Amino acid sequence: LGLNPGDIKKLQGYFDDLADLICEFPELRDNSKFVFVPGPQDIGIGNVLPRPGLPEIVTLKLRSNRFPKNGVVFASNPCRILYGTRELLFFRQDITHQMRRNCILPPSTHETKDVTNHLVKTLLE
């Protein structure tokens, strides 16, 4: 959802429905922070990183004054969030395929059977 011309209206309707649903629970709305991070299939500028937050045209109701100030955040992709003393990184992209495509020395089958482990090991080392 988000790549076809008619999807903008659908997406706007879905976000409006979500805003209405959240507002049915005032305590949740007033005591929570909602963070929306766009994914690779969401509307926006192509497959470029970093991706800016979701456009205002589809999120007007969530950005309205029905929500507390800073209660709804439309972050970029990737984004960092400070939670307590921890910094969390959110990155919505399937980089396994991209990294495997550019891999010079693919992992041997006896080294790892799961390519995800190889990717994590590559990123952390």
Side-chain angles (χ1 to χ4, degrees):
L1 187 65
L3 298 177
N4 298 317
D7 288 348
I8 290 177
K9 279 288 187 203
K10 281 185 191 175
L11 199 56
Q12 185 177 27
Y14 293 146
F15 276 114
D16 289 351
D17 291 346
L18 178 62
D20 293 338
L21 180 66
I22 293 170
C23 286
E24 288 179 21
F25 303 92
E27 191 171 329
L28 175 70
R29 179 197 61 209
D30 297 340
N31 297 310
S32 300
K33 187 168 214 161
F34 298 92
V35 180
F36 295 90
V37 180
Q41 300 299 318
D42 287 334
I43 61 174
I45 54 166
N47 200 13
V48 176
L49 291 174
R51 285 183 71 93
L54 292 167
E56 192 171 325
I57 192 166
V58 296
T59 58
L60 283 173
K61 218 171 196 181
L62 282 168
R63 294 176 190 263
S64 72
N65 58 3
R66 294 169 56 187
F67 289 86
K69 186 177 172 105
N70 299 323
V72 180
V73 176
F74 295 93
S76 64
N77 180 20
C79 74
R80 292 175 187 216
I81 296 175
L82 188 61
Y83 182 74
T85 60
R86 300 257 185 204
E87 186 177 64
L88 306 173
L89 173 67
F90 292 89
F91 181 49
R92 293 195 55 211
Q93 189 79 18
D94 181 12
I95 61 171
T96 305
H97 176 70
Q98 292 172 319
M99 295 287 282
R100 293 285 293 168
R101 182 180 56 206
N102 298 322
C103 188
I104 296 170
L105 297 171
S108 62
T109 53
H110 77 277
E111 185 179 323
T112 181
K113 292 181 189 237
D114 184 13
V115 293
T116 307
N117 287 340
H118 181 254
L119 173 66
V120 170
K121 186 177 176 185
T122 301
L123 292 173
L124 295 178
E125 288 183 351

